[in-house]
Amino acid sequence: QIIKFKDSVFFRDGVRRIDFVLSYIDDKDDQRKQERRRVYESNLQKVGLELETEDKTESEDGKTYFVKIHAPWEVLATYADVLKIKVPFKVNDIPDNSEIPMNWLSTPFRLPGHIMNPEPDYFTAPFNKSKSDFFLIEDKETFFPPSTRNRIVYYILARCPYFKDECGDRDKKGIKRLLNNGTYTAAFPLHDSRYWTKSKDPNCESERFSLYKYWAKFFCFFKEQPLNLVRKYYGEKIGIYFAWLGFYTEMLFFAAVVGTICFVYGFLTYDDNEWSKEICSEEIGGNIVMCPLCDQKCTYWRLNITCNSSWQSHLFDNVATVFFAIFMGIWVTLFLEFWKRRQARLEYEWDLVDFEEEQQQLQLRPEYETKCTNRKLNRITQEMEPYLPITSKCARICLSGATVLLWISLIIACIIGVIAYRLAVYASFASIMKNNTATNLDVVAPYVTPQLATSVTASCINFVIIMILNLLYERVAIKITDMEIPKTHVEYENKLTVKMFLFQFVNYYSSCFYVAFFKGKFVGYPGNYTYMFGSSKLRNEECEPGGCLIELTTQLVIVMTGKQVWGNIQEALVPWLMNWWGSRKARSHPESLYSRWEQDYDLQGFGQLGLFYEYLEMVIQFGFITLFVASFPLAPLLALINNIIEVRVDAWKLTTQFRRPVAAKAHSIGAWEEILGGMAVLSVVTNAFIVAFTSDMIPRLVYMYAYRTHDELNMKGYINNSLSVFNISHLFKNLQEIKIRDVLLLCRYRDYRYPPDDKKRYEHNMQFWHILAAKLAFIIIMEHVVFMVKFFVAWMIPDVPSDVRARVKRERYLVQEYLHNYEVEKLKIQLSQNIFQPQKQQLVHVEC
């Protein structure tokens, strides 16, 4: 008998389903915890829940007790009515006329019908206990699916007090506080089976096994996602995340294709790169002597040593870059608009159309109810409800904002430290590479310049700083959000989302903004260089003759790929190792004695913020492929490859490595949608500035059309034109250290200034101002063109598909009609009964 119920989701009687499990380790020395558990479980039973306890002698470690909770029909019906949970009352008879053209092409990517649509489509209405016969109730035990049952039970657990009625301590309420103070060690709903095999119990659905087989395996990466099954098993909130992630990955395919074509264009036009030929030429680049890039250890150098970096820069800095930047500005608009349509369709299919009002009215956070002691009258419901005084609310928000600003300032300070490192270390790299030309560095010397070595090491240090600050700030953000006491779960998540994103935005993107918009822009010229912190010895960095774009590409690749690789390792490997270590004892037991609740207890807890971090990871990635995509057209391809893996990694860990999360509803991706919209607008500006100020596209075009010294429309002579001349004799320095020539009077530097023999020597020449005007004109034109196209596309594409809008209206009409007919029929029955009863009484009187 023990073997029969051990791996089961039912009580010992095999009939009552286990809807939730609480676990604890009994500490006989701690009487307070024992009293809390006794009172709490007693109050749960008073509410109507049924409990069954597994003794510690039955557990694998011999210390853990398990309390199994079952919600009977009366409890489920009562709280379904309170929460206005929508349930079916009639099979949907609206014909679905949508047909996909050439549907046969998608056959290899499709899953079986029973997996994609695990249940029929129904008309639904909010449950009303007094009208239970109106709904399609065939079996009360299976009418509410397990995800709805555990959602209802958790709602009760979160609000049930653990104090006696006579004590009246309102703060002592909810399972969350009991978990925090160690009264219980875990609280979770059960998975319905092992993930690798079906349950032996015929009454068990084994949906976890189906999810693993058709969704969580990596070799299913080319298959569609069974979103309806995900929603049924995990709830709408997790379902909407995977729907968004899948849609984002699909849209990335188009961006990746165009980005790859732009990269291939740069590769195919490799030999047409005239300015790189001039840099690499012994006659031109070999005879151009450049001014030192730092003050002390750097020497004069020949331009042709930057030959390789110049060729590499052409792969990303070409005409296709402008096209791709414009394309991505339009792509991001299409992505957001089509997602709104997809989301609207899911809202209809998953009965979430009116969810916003329900959430705001019904789902108050237990913490808000307990911490807000003041009460006021709700004008809508005419009931007294808790509220937070405006003075307390403002004070909390100000303190929270100040904390966020403090941490953002800390990030900026760290970034300034990294910049100082770049400036200080560059001279060291230059000295090392100069003094070790005859050693092992010969092999890499043509490929690794001091600029590249500095950029790579600084990017790696910056990445480590980012990871460390992330770990610290996460705890701070959660604490200050708790301090604000948000009213609803949605409000809580939105506040936390904004705080975390602001921090992550500065943390991840600040180094890229520095390289893109500040490096090489405030350098000065020989004899009058600009220094960091004014009088310090740290001279501001210069860009290579090939431009700063290749450095921005390097920074982007290291931070983006490093984050993605580290994220996937952290998401998959860490939970697996912890579960492997935690279940090491149980693996020695017979499989039949390893109970379902113990198996899930040995897994990791998903946590209320588990999904939040998944969104955050993807939105940060979205920023990389939109804000700086002009510098790296292959970014969407890397993101596509990562996301194909990400979908299956997330599915795998959720299905195999984590306890079953409590089902939760969500009608959208929340505040993330607004953040994505803001980043879409910002990306147009950043990419316009990258093309104008970071790449050399505009200076080349200005030279070719206005300043070339020959009749042919090409770039010959551009390098000589783009380098200004400096007379070394104007420096008060010892000329004995000059080793490039016996007598050296002139060196070149990257700028557009008058030569030393001109009256306006070392001032910006007219070409500089022409180029600046062209850059500003390009930014204005590009922004206006892209924004006009964006707004036109957004206006052309309605947020809600017309067929969905029609079906929503049709369903509302039919629901009202069916409810009206139901009430009429019920009234007829009551009237007939009222008429029949007096007649029956009259007949009895006559017979007497």
Side-chain angles (χ1 to χ4, degrees):
Q1 185 181 359
I2 292 176
I3 293 176
K4 181 180 178 182
F5 71 76
K6 269 285 186 178
D7 187 22
S8 172
V9 293
F10 294 95
F11 275 18
R12 293 189 184 93
D13 57 18
V15 176
R16 291 175 294 171
R17 189 182 187 97
I18 302 171
D19 297 313
F20 228 88
V21 174
L22 307 178
S23 66
Y24 64 89
I25 297 174
D26 191 14
D27 186 359
K28 293 183 178 179
D29 297 331
D30 196 335
Q31 298 296 326
R32 295 178 63 190
K33 289 182 180 179
Q34 292 181 4
E35 180 63 17
R36 287 181 200 141
R37 282 193 294 267
R38 189 188 65 77
V39 174
Y40 186 68
E41 291 171 16
S42 174
N43 288 336
L44 290 177
Q45 289 175 322
K46 288 178 183 178
V47 173
L49 296 179
E50 298 175 3
L51 310 182
E52 185 177 83
T53 303
E54 289 291 325
D55 192 80
K56 64 180 181 180
T57 57
E58 298 290 337
S59 64
E60 57 172 332
D61 59 5
K63 298 184 295 183
T64 307
Y65 291 84
F66 292 94
V67 180
K68 299 175 287 185
I69 302 174
H70 168 75
W73 169 257
E74 282 299 316
V75 174
L76 293 172
T78 301
Y79 281 91
D81 195 346
V82 170
L83 297 174
K84 303 299 180 187
I85 293 174
K86 290 186 176 181
V87 294
F89 66 89
K90 189 180 186 301
V91 176
N92 190 339
D93 55 3
I94 300 177
D96 186 5
N97 298 321
S98 60
E99 292 186 5
I100 302 174
M102 302 182 71
N103 193 28
W104 57 272
L105 288 175
S106 62
T107 303
F109 309 105
R110 296 208 171 277
L111 293 174
H114 71 281
I115 298 297
M116 289 301 298
N117 300 295
E119 54 189 5
D121 189 14
Y122 293 104
F123 288 134
T124 59
F127 185 79
N128 190 327
K129 189 178 178 183
S130 62
K131 301 176 182 177
S132 58
D133 56 333
F134 172 72
F135 301 99
L136 293 176
I137 304 176
E138 296 178 0
D139 184 354
K140 290 183 177 180
E141 292 299 323
T142 59
F143 178 67
F144 293 107
S147 58
T148 303
R149 296 174 69 102
N150 71 55
R151 179 184 160 210
I152 290 173
V153 173
Y154 184 75
Y155 182 86
I156 298 170
L157 293 175
R159 287 157 176 78
C160 183
Y162 54 91
F163 59 85
K164 296 180 181 179
D165 294 337
E166 59 270 16
C167 296
D169 189 350
R170 298 186 66 260
D171 196 40
K172 294 182 176 180
K173 179 188 288 187
I175 187 62
K176 188 174 180 180
R177 289 180 63 87
L178 291 172
L179 290 171
N180 290 338
N181 61 34
T183 304
Y184 290 101
T185 56
F188 53 92
L190 289 180
H191 283 294
D192 60 2
S193 68
R194 291 183 170 92
Y195 67 84
W196 66 87
T197 183
K198 285 187 175 182
S199 175
K200 296 178 181 178
D201 190 335
N203 295 321
C204 193
E205 301 87 354
S206 296
E207 290 174 344
R208 184 191 188 193
F209 167 74
S210 298
L211 286 170
Y212 176 72
K213 181 179 179 181
Y214 294 104
W215 181 52
K217 288 184 176 179
F218 177 74
F219 293 106
C220 298
F221 72 90
F222 62 94
K223 295 281 189 180
E224 60 185 338
Q225 295 188 83
L227 294 176
N228 288 326
L229 185 58
V230 173
R231 173 242 182 172
K232 182 184 176 187
Y233 191 75
Y234 289 117
E236 287 81 2
K237 191 172 184 178
I238 289 177
I240 207 90
Y241 163 72
F242 280 102
W244 176 81
L245 180 57
F247 182 80
Y248 172 44
T249 305
E250 291 170 12
M251 289 295 290
L252 272 176
F253 173 77
F254 302 102
V257 169
V258 177
T260 305
I261 292 172
C262 292
F263 177 78
V264 170
Y265 171 82
F267 184 78
L268 294 177
T269 57
Y270 207 63
D271 295 332
D272 300 331
N273 183 3
E274 192 66 43
W275 55 91
S276 291
K277 290 180 181 178
E278 291 186 355
I279 290 175
C280 297
S281 168
E282 285 291 336
E283 291 77 17
I284 301 175
N287 288 322
I288 294 178
V289 178
M290 302 294 293
C291 299
L293 293 173
C294 59
D295 286 344
Q296 295 178 352
K297 297 184 179 180
C298 298
T299 62
Y300 299 89
W301 51 284
R302 297 186 188 278
L303 181 61
N304 62 351
I305 68 171
T306 63
C307 176
N308 286 321
S309 63
S310 175
W311 285 111
Q312 294 162 7
S313 178
H314 174 71
L315 293 174
F316 308 105
D317 190 1
N318 53 65
V319 178
T321 300
V322 181
F323 165 76
F324 191 58
I326 295 172
F327 169 81
M328 287 302 293
I330 300 170
W331 173 89
V332 74
T333 305
L334 291 172
F335 164 66
L336 292 175
E337 292 303 316
F338 282 128
W339 166 246
K340 289 176 185 176
R341 292 170 62 84
R342 175 75 172 122
Q343 188 171 261
R345 193 174 295 277
L346 287 175
E347 282 185 35
Y348 166 71
E349 293 175 355
W350 291 356
D351 299 317
L352 299 169
V353 175
D354 301 320
F355 172 69
E356 184 79 29
E357 297 175 6
E358 298 170 12
Q359 177 71 28
Q360 294 299 328
Q361 292 176 5
L362 300 169
Q363 295 286 336
L364 291 179
R365 295 176 66 238
E367 294 83 357
Y368 182 83
E369 294 176 329
T370 56
K371 292 181 181 179
C372 295
T373 55
N374 297 292
R375 292 286 187 274
K376 72 175 181 179
L377 183 68
N378 187 315
R379 295 179 181 179
I380 299 172
T381 62
Q382 292 297 307
E383 295 178 358
M384 298 299 290
E385 66 175 16
Y387 82 100
L388 191 64
I390 189 68
T391 53
S392 175
K393 192 172 185 179
C394 290
R396 292 169 187 273
I397 291 174
C398 290
L399 181 58
S400 173
T403 307
V404 173
L405 288 176
L406 176 65
W407 276 85
I408 289 177
S409 302
L410 178 62
I411 302 171
I412 295 173
C414 291
I415 297 303
I416 292 173
V418 172
I419 294 171
Y421 164 84
R422 297 172 71 108
L423 302 180
V425 166
Y426 176 79
S428 301
F429 277 122
S431 176
I432 291 170
M433 292 181 180
K434 173 193 171 185
N435 297 330
N436 291 275
T437 52
T439 61
N440 296 334
L441 290 177
D442 275 344
V443 179
V444 297
Y447 307 100
V448 181
T449 62
Q451 291 97 328
L452 181 61
T454 303
S455 180
V456 170
T457 54
S459 298
C460 293
I461 292 171
N462 182 60
F463 175 70
V464 173
I465 291 173
I466 286 172
M467 292 294 108
I468 294 172
L469 289 177
N470 274 347
L471 293 174
L472 297 175
Y473 181 74
E474 282 176 7
R475 299 177 182 179
V476 175
I478 292 170
K479 286 185 177 181
I480 59 178
T481 306
D482 289 337
M483 179 195 66
E484 291 182 42
I485 319 179
K487 186 174 182 180
T488 65
H489 293 284
V490 169
E491 187 180 344
Y492 180 88
E493 290 190 1
N494 289 346
K495 286 179 178 290
L496 183 61
T497 296
V498 172
K499 291 180 183 64
M500 286 294 291
F501 179 75
L502 284 175
F503 178 85
Q504 299 279 13
F505 184 90
V506 178
N507 200 7
Y508 278 106
Y509 302 141
S510 54
S511 58
C512 292
F513 271 99
Y514 164 72
V515 175
F517 305 123
F518 296 97
K519 183 179 178 183
K521 306 300 185 294
F522 311 100
V523 177
Y525 60 91
N528 189 26
Y529 282 117
T530 307
Y531 291 84
M532 190 177 183
F533 308 124
S535 60
S536 72
K537 297 181 180 180
L538 300 176
R539 197 174 102 189
N540 285 354
E541 284 185 285
E542 296 183 48
C543 292
E544 292 187 15
C548 270
L549 196 72
I550 190 66
E551 285 197 50
L552 178 58
T553 303
T554 303
Q555 181 80 18
L556 190 65
V557 170
I558 289 176
V559 177
M560 180 180 173
T561 56
K563 181 185 184 304
Q564 291 179 347
V565 171
W566 174 252
N568 282 325
I569 291 173
Q570 195 175 20
E571 286 181 14
L573 190 60
V574 173
W576 180 81
L577 287 174
M578 294 180 72
N579 290 336
W580 176 83
W581 181 256
S583 62
R584 64 192 185 281
K585 292 181 180 179
R587 289 194 296 271
S588 61
H589 295 174
E591 199 170 278
S592 58
L593 294 178
Y594 194 21
S595 66
R596 165 94 339 257
W597 44 91
E598 286 179 289
Q599 293 174 43
D600 286 7
Y601 178 72
D602 288 337
L603 299 177
Q604 299 300 301
F606 189 65
Q608 288 186 336
L609 299 177
L611 211 57
F612 169 82
Y613 295 119
E614 301 297 340
Y615 274 119
L616 183 63
E617 179 186 4
M618 287 296 102
V619 171
I620 293 297
Q621 182 205 81
F622 181 83
F624 281 125
I625 69 162
T626 54
L627 296 176
F628 308 103
V629 75
S631 67
F632 188 45
L634 292 180
L637 179 63
L638 292 181
L640 175 64
I641 295 170
N642 174 79
N643 286 12
I644 290 173
I645 299 171
E646 181 78 21
V647 171
R648 304 303 161 177
V649 168
D650 286 351
W652 174 81
K653 72 178 184 183
L654 195 63
T655 307
T656 67
Q657 302 303 310
F658 283 94
R659 297 169 189 156
R660 186 174 184 171
V662 177
K665 279 186 173 289
H667 76 293
S668 69
I669 60 175
W672 298 113
E673 193 168 333
E674 301 299 324
I675 289 172
L676 292 173
M679 293 177 75
V681 173
L682 181 61
S683 68
V684 178
V685 180
T686 56
N687 283 305
F689 272 83
I690 287 172
V691 173
F693 286 97
T694 310
S695 80
D696 279 353
M697 182 64 57
I698 304 301
R700 290 172 194 155
L701 292 175
V702 171
Y703 170 79
M704 187 167 66
Y705 288 103
Y707 286 90
R708 70 180 190 277
T709 55
H710 49 274
D711 295 332
E712 294 181 17
L713 196 66
N714 58 37
M715 296 297 296
K716 287 183 179 178
Y718 168 71
I719 291 299
N720 189 57
N721 174 267
S722 66
L723 298 175
S724 296
V725 180
F726 179 74
N727 191 331
I728 299 173
S729 63
H730 294 158
L731 287 175
F732 297 98
K733 286 190 176 182
N734 185 7
L735 300 182
Q736 296 299 322
E737 60 186 50
I738 302 172
K739 298 181 181 179
I740 294 183
R741 294 181 178 182
D742 295 330
V743 178
L744 179 65
L745 296 177
L746 303 175
C747 69
R748 310 293 292 274
Y749 60 98
R750 181 184 171 85
D751 208 341
Y752 293 93
R753 295 179 183 270
Y754 287 109
D757 55 353
D758 194 275
K759 292 180 181 179
K760 299 179 180 179
R761 69 180 185 184
Y762 307 138
E763 294 182 12
H764 287 299
N765 57 26
M766 283 304 299
Q767 187 173 353
F768 170 85
W769 300 110
H770 286 163
I771 290 172
L772 180 61
K775 288 179 176 180
L776 296 176
F778 171 81
I779 290 171
I780 294 170
I781 293 170
M782 178 179 167
E783 286 183 359
H784 280 70
V785 168
V786 175
F787 280 132
M788 285 178 62
V789 174
K790 281 168 67 70
F791 291 132
F792 178 74
V793 169
W795 175 75
M796 285 287 293
I797 302 174
D799 291 348
V800 181
S802 57
D803 64 313
V804 171
R805 190 182 292 110
R807 290 169 73 89
V808 168
K809 291 179 180 178
R810 172 67 176 163
E811 183 167 330
R812 283 176 176 168
Y813 167 75
L814 290 175
V815 168
Q816 290 177 354
E817 185 180 19
Y818 287 132
L819 278 170
H820 172 73
N821 293 338
Y822 167 79
E823 293 292 349
V824 169
E825 290 297 324
K826 196 171 182 180
L827 183 61
K828 286 180 180 179
I829 294 171
Q830 288 178 352
L831 288 173
S832 64
Q833 288 176 349
N834 292 337
I835 294 172
F836 178 73
Q837 284 179 356
Q839 290 178 350
K840 186 175 180 181
Q841 290 175 359
Q842 188 176 4
L843 286 171
V844 171
H845 179 72
V846 169
E847 289 176 359
C848 292

